[in-house]
Amino acid sequence: MDRPGLALVAAFIIAQLVATVISATLSWKLAGIKKIGWGWTGVIWLYNILTYMLLDPIKFGVRYALSGRAWGLMLDQRMAFSNQKNFGKEAREAAWAAEQRTLHGLQSTEAKVPFGRNTYGETSVMAEEAKRRAEIARLREIHTLKGKIESFAKLRGLDIAVHPHYTL
């Protein structure tokens, strides 16, 4: 799915070249290993390259067949075959965060992003941030005097301004 880094590719190529030179030229009598020569080394390289070239199309074909798109099946509509993480929990959290922003009169995130280009990952991050802010607000209401006074005033419908600084 992802391309490997250049350092990994370089390490792989160097290791293969060293192994090729060792197998083609060195004989170790102590271990009972004999050199195979450059002819057999070329045959092995040809075999490896051919199987590698055939393996990727087979891999992509199997992945396409298993995805359901090959037969026009929409497996994502059934929860048992959903490929969403946690059955769409992040999407539900993002919808909740958008609803909370609308309830509190804040600008929706769709208006900020031109043409609705926000990705699933961005909405997931927004949902996590909204959850974190809500948890901080809840803890502040529970554990601080200012929070207790503000929540009491909200419950009673009082319009008071609590001093923003904490004093002892």
Side-chain angles (χ1 to χ4, degrees):
M1 298 295 288
D2 294 329
R3 190 184 73 179
L6 292 177
L8 180 63
V9 171
F12 173 77
I13 290 172
I14 290 170
Q16 293 305 310
L17 291 175
V18 168
T20 299
V21 170
I22 288 173
S23 67
T25 59
L26 294 179
S27 293
W28 292 340
K29 292 180 183 177
L30 181 65
I33 298 174
K34 296 180 182 178
K35 65 181 178 178
I36 62 172
W38 289 105
W40 281 109
T41 302
V43 170
I44 291 170
W45 270 91
L46 183 64
Y47 173 78
N48 286 336
I49 290 171
L50 287 176
T51 56
Y52 176 75
M53 294 299 175
L54 292 175
L55 192 60
D56 268 355
I58 292 170
K59 178 177 65 173
F60 291 131
V62 168
R63 184 174 297 209
Y64 180 70
L66 291 176
S67 71
R69 290 180 291 173
W71 300 283
L73 299 175
M74 296 304 293
L75 297 177
D76 295 336
Q77 291 177 350
R78 291 185 258 161
M79 285 302 237
F81 297 109
S82 176
N83 62 1
Q84 292 180 346
K85 189 176 179 182
N86 294 330
F87 301 106
K89 178 182 175 188
E90 288 85 4
R92 291 192 304 272
E93 290 173 348
W96 175 83
E99 181 182 341
Q100 293 300 313
R101 292 180 65 79
T102 304
L103 286 175
H104 295 294
L106 299 173
Q107 183 181 6
S108 69
T109 57
E110 288 79 17
K112 292 180 184 176
V113 180
F115 307 107
R117 287 190 205 159
N118 57 344
T119 62
Y120 180 72
E122 291 174 3
T123 50
S124 176
V125 169
M126 289 178 0
E128 288 297 323
E129 289 174 357
K131 279 177 43 179
R132 193 175 312 117
R133 285 192 302 269
E135 182 66 18
I136 290 170
R138 185 185 69 81
L139 290 173
R140 193 185 89 214
E141 284 184 8
I142 293 172
H143 296 293
T144 64
L145 177 62
K146 178 183 174 187
K148 289 179 182 179
I149 292 171
E150 287 176 347
S151 65
F152 177 80
K154 285 180 193 175
L155 287 174
R156 301 287 185 216
L158 302 174
D159 188 24
I160 61 170
V162 180
H163 194 274
H165 303 289
Y166 294 98
T167 58
L168 297 175

